[in-house]
Amino acid sequence: MKVGVVGVGAVGSTAAYAMVLNGVGTEVVLVDYNPKFALAQAEDIFHATPFAHPTRVYAGGYDALKGAAVVVIAAGVSQRPGETRIQLLARNAAVFASVIPEILKYAPNAILLVATNPVDIMTQVATEISGLPSKRVIGSGTVLDTARFRALLGHHLGISPVSVHADVLGEHGDSEVLVWSGAKAGNTNLLEFAAQTNRTITPEVRERIDTGVRRAAYSIIEGKGATNFGIGAGLSRIVRAIVSNEHSVISLTTETPEVLGVKKIAVSVPRVIGAQGIEATLFPTLDEDEAAKLRASAESLKSAAKEVLSQSSN
C-alpha cells in the first residue's frame, strides 16, 4: 500500500524513515518543493531497507501520489525558538492553500494526515481547504504529548512506558491537558501502583512531569532546532493503524461537532482509527479541573481557528 509524504524536512523524512523501519506500507513516496532534496532523502532512506523492510522508497512530483492510501502533510515553515504554535498560523495556512489541491488532484481518495504545526488548527484549515469529510482529515494531535507523558511516567515508576496508559488531550501545545485522573500502570490506578511500588507521585513529581511534557518542544527546539524523532515515530504509528485497518484508539485531532460545549472544533481526544479514517470519537471521564482545562483549550483553539479561517477566506 502506498503512503505519500509531502514536505520532507526533519519531520517528514523521519516519519518516512520510521515507516520503513517499522514495515508500514509497501511504497513510500516523498514530495517536496525542492525535488533534489526529496530525491536525496528518498535515496538515503532507501539505503536503510536492507536492514529493515523491503519497502519501495522514491521521490516524485504530486503525480507520484496517485493511488496513495494516506498522505502525510509535513509541509510548512518551522517553529522558531520562542515562537508559539499559534504564531505559526498565518505562515502555514498559505502553504496548505497551495499544497492540498495538488495532493487531491492526484490522490482524491487518500486520507490526509496533518503534521504541520500548530497541528490542531492546521487540521481544521486542511478540512476547510480540502472539502473532505472530517473523518478523512486527521491531525497527529497529542499523540506525541501522550507518548512523552507515558515515557516520563514509566521512567518515574520504573516500568516500560508501554505498560503505562495515560493520555494528553486538547491542544498540541501550551493549553494541553494531562489526564492524571484516568492514568493507569497496567490495569492498576496510577496512584495505587505508585504507592505499592514506593514510587510516590508527589506534587513535585507531577510538576516535573507536567513541565517535561508541556515544555518539551521548546527545550528540544532550543537545543537542536526541531523535534523529529518522537513525532516521526508517532506518524508511523498512525499510518500503520490506517493501512492495517487496526481500529486502534489513539489521541488524535479532527474537526468535531462539539467538545464540552465548544462547537465545530479540531481538538485532540481519543479516536478509533482504521482504513476509513476516524471511526469513532471517545470522551474519557475527567475530573472537574481536567474538564475545565479541556474546555478552555478547545475555546482557545476555536478563537485562533476562527481568526485564521476568516483571513483565509478574504
Side-chain angles (χ1 to χ4, degrees), residues 101-305:
E102 289 298 308
I103 294 172
L104 295 179
K105 180 179 179 181
Y106 297 101
N109 297 317
I111 290 171
L112 304 183
L113 176 54
V114 178
T116 303
N117 276 321
V119 70
D120 306 287
I121 300 169
M122 295 311 299
T123 300
Q124 196 152 9
V125 169
T127 304
E128 294 288 328
I129 292 172
S130 69
L132 295 175
S134 59
K135 70 177 185 177
R136 288 180 51 200
V137 185
I138 304 164
S140 56
T142 55
V143 69
L144 175 56
D145 311 274
T146 293
R148 288 167 173 161
F149 190 23
R150 294 177 182 182
L152 292 175
L153 277 174
H155 178 72
H156 174 74
L157 296 172
I159 62 173
S160 167
V162 176
S163 296
V164 176
H165 308 288
D167 290 296
V168 177
L169 309 180
E171 176 196 7
H172 170 55
D174 298 337
S175 68
E176 65 191 21
V177 182
L178 280 66
V179 183
W180 289 89
S181 65
K184 292 185 176 182
N187 66 349
T188 304
N189 173 274
L190 177 67
L191 296 181
E192 293 177 4
F193 184 96
Q196 291 178 37
T197 57
N198 296 317
R199 302 275 184 158
T200 307
I201 296 180
T202 64
E204 292 75 20
V205 169
R206 282 184 59 139
E207 178 65 24
R208 185 180 73 245
I209 291 176
D210 185 282
T211 300
V213 174
R214 196 178 304 276
R215 302 298 300 177
Y218 294 105
S219 62
I220 293 170
I221 289 169
E222 182 180 1
K224 70 169 194 169
T227 62
N228 58 304
F229 294 117
I231 188 57
L235 291 166
S236 174
R237 176 68 188 90
I238 298 165
V239 174
R240 189 182 85 191
I242 296 170
V243 300
S244 299
N245 196 26
E246 288 184 352
H247 314 293
S248 293
V249 179
I250 304 175
S251 291
L252 299 168
T253 285
T254 194
E255 190 175 84
T256 307
E258 180 181 345
V259 175
L260 294 176
V262 183
K263 309 286 188 180
K264 197 179 179 183
I265 181 64
V267 66
S268 202
V269 295
R271 319 273 183 175
V272 180
I273 183 170
Q276 302 305 311
I278 300 297
E279 299 173 348
T281 293
L282 309 172
F283 293 97
T285 301
L286 307 174
D287 65 25
E288 289 186 9
D289 181 61
E290 291 164 349
K293 287 178 178 177
L294 180 57
R295 186 181 301 110
S297 183
E299 288 172 345
S300 174
L301 288 169
K302 178 72 173 180
S303 176

